[in-house]
């Protein structure tokens, strides 16, 4: 009897497990065999899904826009009272695509034109005045963007995100005319991308994309939780990300050295999130800034000078061969590559781009301190 009871209990438990597992399976089996496999060598996705309209299984190869091998060199120089951020971009000879879009995004500032014309007229009651005001506003925004973003011949550059706090972006795309370039081809390069702004450099990310031959393919996939997640995963591999210097730290006006120091400190707190520096190194910097900030408050030139020397010497020890001139202007042969694509840093402590940003900002603080500011 005991064996029979045990057998019944075991049978009951097994049946319960089977029923519970069955409850987890969707009623429709349309997506049971859907799959998406990434080919890291060719930078493609092999997609398999059932077309709900024709009830047939479809096999597709999605070629990502990341079949490129970009390298970027950033230089920062002074021009007409602003900092000029110049970007020299190469596409490796082994690339399978032209570079067709370049975006510097996630800039923690909003760039907005002063005295932007307002649209006060009502579209319904005074359509002509509304149109004139609206066009005047668009023209002012375009002029503002053109005064900041410089582009090579045949490329169009734009400032995007004027109305979104902390979400400004610089975007470049090749021209649409037949005689204009299609992008940066494999083995090609372009030196004339630039941004003019008064802010000090910080580390942000440049997103670079190749000419994906079928970008609409993802829109044809079935609607399901599986494909919702997979599309996000696919899109994360649909570009190459490189850390670059860009205007990210606003200089206070009127100038206050300690306030600028606090803004620099706030910026480098974000570096561990993106792999630019370890948290341990950021903690080390914070200890140095605990000395630097009060010295800036007191206008103590000697202590500011000593703090600068300690931090910069430490950075130069980490990045052997880096000297002040190259940290400020960029070494002629120093190009950043897709080290950030997987979230990895070029250095286990602090990457070279972050080191350059910090040296540049600290040097600015030092020069202002020596001037008695």
């Amino acid at each position: 009897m005991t064996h029979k009871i045990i057998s019944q209990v075991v049978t009951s438990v097994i049946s319960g497990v089977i029923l519970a597992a069955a409850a987890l399976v969707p009623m429709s089996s349309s997506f049971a065999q859907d799959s998406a496999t990434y080919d890291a060598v060719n930078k493609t996705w092999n997609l398999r899904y059932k077309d709900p309209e024709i009830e047939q299984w479809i096999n597709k190869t999605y070629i990502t826009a990341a079949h490129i091998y970009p390298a970027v060199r950033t230089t920062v120089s002074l021009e007409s009272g602003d900092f000029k951020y110049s970007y020299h971009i190469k596409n490796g000879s082994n690339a399978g695509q032209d570079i067709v879009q370049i975006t510097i995004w996630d800039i923690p500032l909003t760039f907005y034109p002063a005295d932007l014309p307002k649209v006060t007229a009502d579209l319904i009651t005074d359509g002509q005045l509304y149109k004139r005001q609206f066009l005047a506003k668009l023209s002012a925004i375009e002029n503002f963007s053109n005064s900041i973003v410089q582009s090579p011949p045949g490329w169009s550059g734009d400032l995007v995100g004027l109305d979104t706090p902390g979400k400004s972006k610089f975007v470049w795309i090749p021209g649409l005319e037949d005689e204009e370039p299609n992008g940066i081809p494999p083995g090609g390069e372009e030196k004339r991308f630039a941004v003019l702004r008064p802010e000090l450099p910080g580390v942000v990310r440049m997103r670079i994309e190749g000419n994906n031959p079928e970008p609409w393919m993802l829109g044809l996939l079935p609607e399901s939780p599986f494909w919702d997640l997979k599309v996000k995963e696919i899109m994360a591999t649909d570009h190459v990300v490189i850390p670059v210097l860009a205007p990210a730290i606003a200089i206070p006006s009127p100038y206050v050295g300690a306030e600028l120091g606090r803004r620099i400190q706030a910026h480098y707190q974000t570096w561990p999130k993106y792999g630019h520096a370890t948290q341990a190194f950021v903690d080390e910097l914070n200890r140095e800034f605990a000395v630097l900030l009060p010295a800036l408050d007191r206008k103590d030139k000697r202590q500011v000078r000593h703090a600068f020397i300690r931090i910069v010497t430490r950075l130069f020890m980490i990045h052997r061969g880096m000297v002040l001139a190259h940290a400020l202007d960029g070494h002629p042969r120093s190009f950043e590559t897709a080290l950030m694509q997987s979230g990895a840093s070029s250095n286990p402590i602090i990457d070279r781009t972050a080191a350059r940003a910090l040296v540049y900002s600290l040097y600015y603080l030092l020069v202002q301190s020596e001037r008695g500011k």
Side-chain angles (χ1 to χ4, degrees), residues 72-74 201-204 242-245 271 275-278 281 315-337 339-340 344-360:
V72 181
R73 175 179 173 238
T74 311
V203 187
V204 298
I242 296 178
V244 296
L245 299 179
W271 290 352
H276 298 306
T278 64
F281 188 75
L315 293 171
F316 289 174
M317 288 176 63
I318 296 170
H319 291 280
R320 299 287 182 180
M322 179 183 282
V323 295
L324 187 59
H326 291 162
L328 299 180
D329 300 329
H331 192 283
R333 294 183 300 278
S334 179
F335 283 80
E336 300 298 337
T337 54
L339 299 167
M340 293 298 298
S345 171
S346 60
N347 188 283
I349 301 174
I350 180 173
D351 69 29
R352 185 180 180 87
T353 305
R356 287 185 60 203
L358 191 55
V359 170
Y360 206 109

